[in-house]
Amino acid sequence: MPQPSAVTPTSAAANPAYAMLLGVSAAHLLNDAMQSVVPAVFPLFRENMHLSFAEIGWVAFALNVTASILQPFIGAYTDRRPLPILLPLGMAFTLLGMIGLALAPSLAWLLLSAVLIGVGSSVLHPESSRVAHLAAGKSKGFAQSVFQVGGNTGQAIAPLLVAFIVTPLGQKSFLWFTILAVIGIVVQTYISRWYARQTAERPRVRKAAPAAASDSALPLAARERPFGKGFVAFALGILILMLFSKFVYLAGMTGYYSFYYMERYGLSLERAQICLFALQFAGMAGTFAGGPLADRFGRKKIIWFSIFGTAPFSLLLPFAGPGWAVPLCLAIGFILMSGFSVIIVYAQELLPGHVGTVAGLFFGLSFGLGGLGSVVLGKLMDTVGVASMIQVCALLPLLGVFALFLPKDSTLMRGAQAAA
């Protein structure tokens, strides 16, 4: 069976692999919409169950760290033995988590429901990212952006779902989200069948054309490592620092900015959700733009810009009035979200042949850092107050300056050519 042709913006409509790319993007949208609703309704859970900020942080920790621990293992395993059935199975876990949130009477039930949703995300991301990589052809940045923009779209609509569904209807409204989970199971089942056919045909392709297999997203891509361990460790360390800056900052915004907004300006939760919607909606646009821009101008430049370029706006936000909060959130969302898909592609080029491992590791780290950040920031809020915590968070994008020390794109390209 021939390799999937390259997916580009101009040829995508005629490419059958593009339907799979759109499918995993749609599944990513549904998954992240349901997952992002959880931190967006922390004020509701805190009021209904009389929770402290630290206890709220533990809910976020359970949600994120579950995914953080599982994703690298799932990615590494499926690099060797793909499991297409994981695609619909992940959505089934999320379905159970939504039912649990609707019926949860206590903190313990909230934690269990958050764990189920975290398991669902940990299953979805590595295998869906592999499908996107397989469908990409040579346009890796574009394909990863299409996949990621689905997730960011889901994150963007989550505050609106909270404002117009959860807030007026209460905790039981989470049962409505089971409809999204069922749709996701249907979509992922269709994709898993295509993916299974690709996997079944792959051994014959490898025997007929071993050279062509070196660029595949499928497992057992045996090739020589083009970079030394020290080089890889240094570059991965910088990339992980970028993830720390991005996702701890986002944990502060999505989990706690609503408290700050309501306390500082005396406005409602619904008004606060508009700011979070602006952040996530702009992030959707930034994610879609980031991959093609990196294909054109270089991955290192876009990674640096996406973190460090956020700093001027994040530093202004705590001191801006409610009228400026939305424009600043738009700028923060667009710039900050533009880099994540680029970071993943950069890491996949750094470690060719380990697509699932890299996706699992980096998605897992993003969840884990967000979860740990939520716990630390919750304790910080209990200790020093909401305003001080938000001001500390505003400093995190300054860490983006370290992206200047990443190896050049041309170095990665030479290594990839040597490994092919």
Side-chain angles (χ1 to χ4, degrees):
M1 187 180 66
Q3 290 287 312
S5 58
V7 176
T8 65
T10 55
S11 67
N15 190 341
Y18 191 65
M20 299 303 108
L21 183 57
L22 290 179
V24 293
S25 182
H28 201 186
L29 184 157
L30 296 170
N31 178 83
D32 283 25
M34 291 181 283
Q35 181 180 329
S36 299
V37 164
V38 180
V41 296
F42 280 169
L44 175 65
F45 289 137
R46 184 170 184 265
E47 180 180 350
N48 289 350
M49 300 181 187
H50 308 290
L51 304 177
S52 69
F53 286 119
E55 288 172 324
I56 287 292
W58 280 111
V59 177
F61 177 85
L63 174 68
N64 292 316
V65 172
T66 302
S68 175
I69 293 172
L70 290 178
Q71 286 195 70
F73 291 104
I74 292 173
Y77 181 82
T78 55
D79 271 336
R80 295 169 175 81
R81 180 175 297 179
L83 294 173
I85 190 62
L86 289 180
L87 295 174
L89 184 61
M91 279 291 179
F93 277 103
T94 302
L95 172 64
L96 294 175
M98 288 291 110
I99 295 173
L101 288 178
L103 305 178
S106 64
L107 175 62
W109 278 97
L110 279 182
L111 292 171
L112 177 60
S113 302
V115 167
L116 289 171
I117 296 171
V119 170
S121 289
S122 70
V123 171
L124 176 137
H125 287 105
E127 285 295 83
S128 293
S129 181
R130 190 195 310 281
V131 172
H133 192 93
L134 176 63
K138 296 180 180 180
S139 302
K140 298 293 189 293
F142 171 75
Q144 194 62 227
S145 284
V146 171
F147 171 62
Q148 271 302 117
V149 81
N152 287 127
T153 304
Q155 294 166 16
I157 65 175
L160 297 183
L161 296 174
V162 172
F164 297 110
I165 297 178
V166 180
T167 300
L169 299 179
Q171 187 175 339
K172 293 291 179 64
S173 63
F174 277 100
L175 291 174
W176 287 102
F177 293 99
T178 60
I179 298 173
L180 300 183
V182 171
I183 295 172
I185 291 172
V186 173
V187 171
Q188 291 287 65
T189 299
Y190 177 74
I191 294 169
S192 70
R193 291 172 180 169
W194 178 85
Y195 183 25
R197 290 194 297 270
Q198 301 292 311
T199 304
E201 292 289 338
R202 189 60 189 164
R204 291 201 295 270
V205 177
R206 287 175 54 80
K207 291 178 182 179
S214 64
D215 191 46
S216 174
L218 292 173
L220 298 175
R223 70 191 70 169
E224 186 178 334
R225 285 189 178 182
F227 305 114
K229 292 182 179 179
F231 180 92
V232 171
F234 175 76
L236 287 179
I238 295 177
L239 294 177
I240 290 170
L241 183 63
M242 297 303 100
L243 293 183
F244 170 83
S245 173
K246 170 184 168 64
F247 285 101
V248 175
Y249 179 77
L250 284 178
M253 289 295 294
T254 58
Y256 301 111
Y257 183 71
S258 294
F259 295 106
Y260 175 80
Y261 189 91
M262 291 186 291
E263 177 183 293
R264 180 175 175 85
Y265 306 122
L267 298 173
S268 66
L269 175 61
E270 290 85 352
R271 288 284 300 273
Q273 295 301 310
I274 297 301
C275 290
L276 294 183
F277 170 72
L279 178 79
Q280 302 286 14
F281 181 82
M284 174 186 66
T287 297
F288 188 76
L293 287 174
D295 286 339
R296 180 177 178 85
F297 297 108
R299 315 210 195 287
K300 177 180 176 178
K301 292 178 182 178
I302 299 302
I303 293 171
W304 172 82
F305 174 73
S306 73
I307 308 297
F308 190 71
T310 304
F313 305 99
S314 69
L315 293 170
L316 283 173
L317 182 62
F319 307 100
W324 282 101
V326 170
L328 287 172
C329 284
L330 286 170
I332 290 169
F334 183 88
I335 298 171
L336 188 63
M337 301 289 196
S338 66
F340 185 51
S341 62
V342 183
I343 289 173
I344 291 177
V345 173
Y346 187 100
Q348 288 171 340
E349 292 178 344
L350 189 67
L351 292 167
H354 298 83
V355 173
T357 302
V358 169
L361 174 64
F362 278 77
F363 279 111
L365 281 172
S366 68
F367 284 106
L369 292 171
L372 290 172
S374 295
V375 173
V376 173
L377 296 176
K379 290 290 290 185
L380 187 62
M381 285 178 66
D382 284 334
T383 304
V384 303
V386 177
S388 296
M389 188 279 291
I390 292 295
Q391 290 170 16
V392 169
C393 280
L395 300 173
L396 289 170
L398 291 172
L399 294 174
V401 70
F402 288 97
L404 292 173
F405 296 102
L406 283 170
K408 296 179 181 180
D409 292 22
S410 57
T411 302
L412 295 188
M413 188 177 299
R414 288 196 298 270
Q417 291 171 350

